[in-house]
Amino acid sequence: GKVIMVYLLPLAGLVLTYMALSENISFKNTVTGFLIAGLILVLLRPRRGSIRWQQIPIALLGLAAYILILFWDLIKSGIQVARIVVDPRLPIRQGIIRIPSESDSELGTAISAHWITLTPGELVVEIDDSGGMYTHCLNVEESYEDAITAQRRRNRIIRKIFDAKEGP
């Protein structure tokens, strides 16, 4: 019973997402959607665990904060990169810095690396065994000063989003 529920909800979500993205509700496409979703679930093997319903509002607020702050970072970084492109006289001190993950999980580190990479002017090029994210920046001095503070902010938000689910 519980095992079926662990797979049923994600299966339905994946199939609906596939159908919405493909914009084709034919029988063949629906079967294809179920096969792809089933394969994804077999490979990912969702964990059994209960949802802590009292944490859902906090997780939703964390998700909203994630989206808003990411959007702000995209705008701010985009403007900085545009200034560098428009005025080539601005000093560029590009290089690679190591941002410690300080995350509780590999998922948190991966989401942080994705967040960093999405912002213009920064790119995570490698993650070491301890979760350190080697990040290429256009301005190493400015980036390093803000990197630790930004990573702590990212971790707080990511924890809020994923704390709604208990482990196995």
Side-chain angles (χ1 to χ4, degrees), residues 46-67:
R47 284 192 263 160
R48 290 178 224 167
S50 59
I51 295 174
R52 292 185 287 167
W53 294 102
Q54 68 274 19
Q55 289 296 114
I56 295 295
I58 294 169
L60 290 174
L61 286 172
L63 182 60
Y66 175 86
I67 291 168

Side-chain angles (χ1 to χ4, degrees), residues 67-140:
I67 291 168
L68 290 172
I69 292 171
L70 177 61
F71 186 68
W72 174 251
D73 286 349
L74 288 171
I75 291 171
K76 188 173 73 173
S77 297
I79 291 170
Q80 289 171 344
V81 171
R83 283 184 56 220
I84 291 170
V85 170
V86 171
D87 188 0
R89 293 174 294 164
L90 289 175
I92 296 176
R93 294 186 171 227
Q94 61 181 328
I96 295 178
I97 60 172
R98 183 183 184 277
I99 302 173
S101 169
E102 298 178 3
S103 179
D104 301 333
S105 68
E106 288 181 6
L107 177 63
T109 301
I111 292 172
S112 291
H114 182 256
W115 187 334
I116 292 167
T117 299
L118 280 176
T119 55
E122 295 183 335
L123 174 69
V124 175
V125 293
E126 186 175 340
I127 300 174
D128 64 23
D129 292 338
S130 64
M133 298 173 286
Y134 292 89
T135 306
H136 180 270
C137 306
L138 291 178
N139 192 333
V140 174

Side-chain angles (χ1 to χ4, degrees), residues 12 14-34:
L14 287 170
V15 169
L16 288 174
T17 301
Y18 174 81
M19 300 301 289
L21 291 173
S22 69
E23 297 180 4
N24 179 357
I25 56 171
S26 70
F27 179 74
K28 283 183 180 179
N29 197 46
T30 304
V31 171
T32 302
F34 272 101

